[in-house]
Structures are given as structure tokens and as C-alpha cells.
Amino acid sequence: MFRLLIALVILVVPAHAETRIPQSRAEISLGFAPLVKEAAPAVVNIYAKRVVAVRESPFAGDPFFGNLFRNQGRQRPRVQNSLGSGVILSEDGIVVSNFHVVGHATDIRVQLKDRREYSAKVLLADQESDLAILQIEDADAMPYLYLRDSDTVEVGELVLAIGNPFGVGQTVTSGIISGLARSGTATGNARGYFLQTDAPINPGNSGGALIDVNGDLVGVNTSILTRSGGSNGIGFAIPSALVREFVEQARAGRASFARPWAGMGGQPVDSDLAEGLGLGRPEGVLVSDLHPESPFAAKGFAPGDVILEVDGQPVNTPAEMIFRMSVAGIGHETKILALMAGEETVVDVPMIVAPESPDRETRLTDSDSAVPELTFSNINPAVISEFNLPLNVTGVAVENPGPVGARIGLRPGDILRVIDGVEIETTKDAETALRKASRNITLEIQRGTQRIVSRFRL
């Protein structure tokens, strides 16, 4: 009897361990090895180089004169290297990474987990979203990850972060989704929108994958909040829904990301506003201002209305609303649930780019101008969106100050108001005034909501 029992036990023991994605809580407790083995080959290391101009000051390192003369000295080119991660999203070698990893790079190398290396080029990059889409050259049958709809992600889900921290090689960390709809906390950009995770993310993880237990991409790791420089359990990832829109625009041939324009100023609804508006709880975005060319204005929206949902998803900050519009994409209509004149209404609003009307009439000053190589344009909705100007501002905006303009303190987005006593309304006014300016010139500019007067001798 004893011998028969032993034989039966031997028969039921499997000869080999099964390799597949964990399907239950009990299986997950055994480890993530099968999941990592399947997903890791699609996460790549990225090495980028760019040439920058660096001033070499004879007082470098001096505690007093080094700061006093920090902008003096000759400029010399220097090669800067950056290290990061990326995720392959298609068999033909489409890769997503962060803008701060590959932006402005002149040479990009992509290394796969099996140590194969390829050159890559940037198809589309956007500094505001900190995303870039690359194309691996001579790519053939690349491993890749599927994009999961990040709107289905829930707080508490298990996730893995895969990347190349500190250049030590591909590394995997685990955690959970800690929060959704984090606005502006990752990069200081109030227009950002992120997933939060406690999976450790360190320098070099930027652009790496945040995957779920099925091996699908839910986000692209981008940054952390830290006091020490290391991971404190607060990391941020750009949702896959936005990544998908970036890939679509890159495949359509766009070199820069086209973001839908609302032409609207708004603010979150707090408790006091909710009570005044008759809302049961604080929710939505209060419309505070509208541009005459805004697609929302064309649909009857007015200051005081409250936008509650975009395409069925609640929005509680302007950043969330911009994200939802960006995911919808240019040329589509979004269903907006709003409180208009005290009643809930659903309105279809077209997603458009900021219009170029009136024409920019961009001008570049020549050597006869008081400020040569200064580029400026008439302000229109496109210029307002590009330089994040006040919504209903008019006049002439600086696009590029040039070397002389930069030395006298001009910045991109400054609005030229008065030049030597002449009020500026158009680019022609600005060009004429700068050509006739005296040697002692006075500039009055608007920067944000501030007025600045600058006097200097040519």
C-alpha cells in the first residue's frame, strides 16, 4: 500500500515548470519572471548625443567673480550625452521615449536587450508633453508591447517599471498604481497629466515601460518627486492613451504634436464655487474666459458655465481637460457634458488647432535695426497657444530675441508695447520703430501680466 501511494505522488508531479503569465493572486505571489521574460525584450536603452555651446569663463570656479562674469568668455561646442529608455510599440520599430532624453539629439543609438544596436531618428517630439516618437532604422521583426487603454487602469493595480537606471543595465521594479489624474505634479507643468506609481523609478528609467500584469503598456515613465535624488515611492508615467495619439500623428507625418485648442480659460471648481453654482459637490472646470475664435464659444459656451465631462470622462482641472481633448485628436468631435445656464447639457465640440488668423506677418530685423536679428509676429490664437500668452492679448510678440535682444533681456513670448514712445500694434509698426530708434532706446514690454520698461544705449 505504501509503495502504491509513492507511485501515485510521483505521477502527479509535473516534469517541467509551466511558463505563462500569472492568472490569479496565488500565481502572482510566485513571481513575475514569465511576465518579464515576455515584456522586457521590447524595452530598449537609448544613448543620445547633442552638441551645445558652452561659455568658458576665465573665472570659472571662483566663488565671487565666477558668478559675476558667468555670461562672459568664448563659446565653444561641447558634446552632451544623455541616457534613457524607450519602448518598442510596433514590429517595424516605432519607439516611444521622453523628450528630455532625445530632444534636440543629433545622434541616437537604440540598444535592445539582446545587445543589438540600431540608429534611430526622431519622427515627432513635444517638450510640453515630454514625449518623443522614434523610428529605428533598418528595423526588422522587432519585439513590441501592446498599448492598453489607460482609462481602464485603476488605483491598486499591480505594475512593473522596466528601464535602465543609472546605466547599470535593464532593471525591473514592481509596485502599484498609486493615483490617477495627477495634474502638474511631475514636471511643474500645470498642463501635465500623469499616472502615479510607487514602483521605483530612477535616473535612466525615463522613457521606460510601465506595464500591467498582462504585459501591456499602461504608461511611459517620466519623472519622480524626491528630496534625496533617489526614488521615494512617488513616480509618474505618461498615460498610454496620449502615447497612442502621438504614434498616430507620427505615422501621419507630423513632426510636432498638434494639440486641440480650446480657446478658453478655466479653473477647478472648489467648495465655495460649487455652493454658489448650485452643485452638490465640487466638480468640473469653471469657464472663466473665452477667445472669440474658440470652438467652445461657437457652440454657445460663456464665462460661468461648468464643464463636467469630456467624452464621458470627468474633468476636474484644466490639465485633465487638455489631456482628454488631446486624446480625442484633431478633426474629431468630443461630447462635452456641461452645466450651461444652470442646466446639464451635452454639446458636440469640434477639436481644432489654434487658427492662424489674423496672419502672423513674421518679420526678422536686419543690420540697420536697433535690435538686429529679432524675430516677432502679430499675435493670433496660434501665437497665444505657442507661447502660452494671456487669452485675449493683442499686439506683437517676440518669437526669437536673437543675440542682441537676449543681451538686453528680451525673451520669447514678450509682447512689444512701446518702442521709443511709439505704440506698437503690428509687426510693421515694430520694424519701422526699431529702424528709427535713437541711440538711447526705450522699450516697454509686457511679460505675462507685468509691464517692464527697459532703457539702454546702443
Side-chain angles (χ1 to χ4, degrees):
M1 181 68 180
F2 179 74
R3 290 180 181 175
L4 179 60
L5 179 60
I6 293 295
L8 288 173
V9 171
I10 292 173
L11 286 174
V12 298
V13 174
H16 301 284
E18 186 178 5
T19 302
R20 63 188 179 89
I21 296 173
Q23 301 293 319
S24 67
R25 185 180 299 273
E27 291 182 350
I28 287 173
S29 67
L30 299 176
F32 294 106
L35 173 61
V36 173
K37 188 178 294 185
E38 183 174 303
V43 182
V44 299
N45 299 335
I46 294 180
Y47 305 91
K49 295 181 180 179
R50 65 172 177 167
V51 179
V52 296
V54 178
R55 289 192 182 275
E56 293 187 347
S57 172
F59 300 102
D62 187 284
F64 177 75
F65 292 104
N67 185 59
L68 188 63
F69 296 100
R70 63 183 180 274
N71 293 322
Q72 304 299 316
R74 292 184 298 173
Q75 284 191 341
R76 290 189 177 181
R78 179 176 295 177
V79 176
Q80 279 189 348
N81 297 300
S82 63
L83 173 68
S85 306
V87 187
I88 305 176
L89 298 178
S90 67
E91 193 174 21
D92 61 349
I94 292 292
V95 176
V96 61
S97 186
N98 285 141
F99 179 92
H100 73 260
V101 173
V102 299
H104 309 303
T106 54
D107 181 34
I108 301 172
R109 300 289 295 174
V110 172
Q111 184 184 68
L112 275 64
K113 191 175 186 297
D114 60 13
R115 302 186 68 179
R116 286 182 293 165
E117 283 195 13
Y118 297 88
S119 295
K121 61 181 180 180
V122 176
L123 299 181
L124 184 154
D126 183 73
Q127 187 170 8
E128 184 174 313
S129 297
D130 197 22
L131 279 178
I133 304 299
L134 312 177
Q135 173 68 64
I136 296 176
E137 297 179 355
D138 303 320
D140 181 33
M142 292 283 126
Y144 63 95
L145 295 183
Y146 290 99
L147 286 169
R148 174 182 166 184
D149 183 1
S150 52
D151 288 340
T152 64
V153 175
E154 297 182 10
V155 173
E157 283 194 39
L158 286 169
V159 288
L160 300 181
I162 309 177
N164 181 22
F166 301 106
V168 300
Q170 193 176 88
T171 303
V172 181
T173 56
S174 66
I176 63 170
I177 295 292
S178 307
L180 306 174
R182 297 302 193 213
S183 301
T185 51
T187 61
N189 181 354
R191 302 175 76 175
Y193 180 93
F194 306 93
L195 301 177
Q196 182 184 331
T197 179
D198 67 347
I201 297 173
N202 290 295
N205 268 124
S206 294
L210 190 69
I211 63 172
D212 63 13
V213 294
N214 293 313
D216 295 333
L217 188 75
V218 298
V220 173
N221 302 322
T222 187
S223 63
I224 59 175
L225 283 183
T226 178
R227 293 180 178 177
S228 62
S231 176
N232 289 341
I234 303 178
F236 298 96
I238 299 167
S240 57
L242 185 59
V243 175
R244 187 186 304 277
E245 180 62 23
F246 265 75
V247 172
E248 290 181 2
Q249 291 199 21
R251 287 197 178 279
R254 296 195 65 92
S256 58
F257 185 65
R259 188 174 283 100
W261 181 67
M264 180 180 73
Q267 66 184 87
V269 175
D270 57 19
S271 299
D272 292 336
L273 284 174
E275 184 177 352
L277 293 166
L279 294 172
R281 59 186 176 87
E283 60 177 331
V285 177
L286 177 69
V287 179
S288 58
D289 199 7
L290 281 168
H291 192 280
E293 299 291 328
S294 165
F296 285 83
K299 289 292 183 174
F301 282 83
D305 293 339
V306 179
I307 295 174
L308 302 172
E309 294 181 359
V310 176
D311 281 338
Q313 297 292 335
V315 291
N316 293 306
T317 65
E320 289 181 60
M321 185 171 169
I322 292 170
F323 171 78
R324 294 296 169 195
M325 292 172 60
S326 298
V327 168
I330 302 295
H332 295 85
E333 286 196 342
T334 60
K335 290 192 177 297
I336 307 294
L337 174 64
L339 191 68
M340 302 175 69
E343 295 185 1
E344 284 195 3
T345 308
V346 176
V347 183
D348 291 332
V349 178
M351 297 292 96
I352 65 170
V353 295
E356 289 276 7
S357 59
D359 188 79
R360 291 192 188 208
E361 293 185 8
T362 302
R363 297 180 185 241
L364 173 64
T365 56
D366 55 26
S367 58
D368 294 331
S369 173
V371 185
E373 299 182 58
L374 174 66
T375 306
F376 44 83
S377 300
N378 289 327
I379 295 174
N380 60 25
V383 174
I384 289 172
S385 177
E386 184 176 341
F387 294 101
N388 198 24
L389 302 179
L391 194 60
N392 286 303
V393 71
T394 59
V396 175
V398 174
E399 291 204 12
N400 188 337
V404 176
R407 283 202 298 271
I408 63 175
L410 291 177
R411 302 178 187 174
D414 284 347
I415 302 168
L416 302 176
R417 289 302 184 195
V418 180
I419 300 176
D420 263 2
V422 178
E423 292 191 5
I424 306 302
E425 296 182 358
T426 67
T427 55
K428 185 177 180 180
D429 295 339
E431 186 177 51
T432 302
L434 286 170
R435 189 164 286 169
K436 294 180 177 179
S438 63
R439 290 184 61 83
N440 295 308
I441 185 172
T442 301
L443 288 180
E444 184 178 333
I445 64 172
Q446 179 180 338
R447 182 174 295 161
T449 57
Q450 293 182 326
R451 290 268 184 156
I452 302 172
V453 178
S454 176
R455 297 181 179 88
F456 57 94
R457 183 178 177 81
L458 297 176

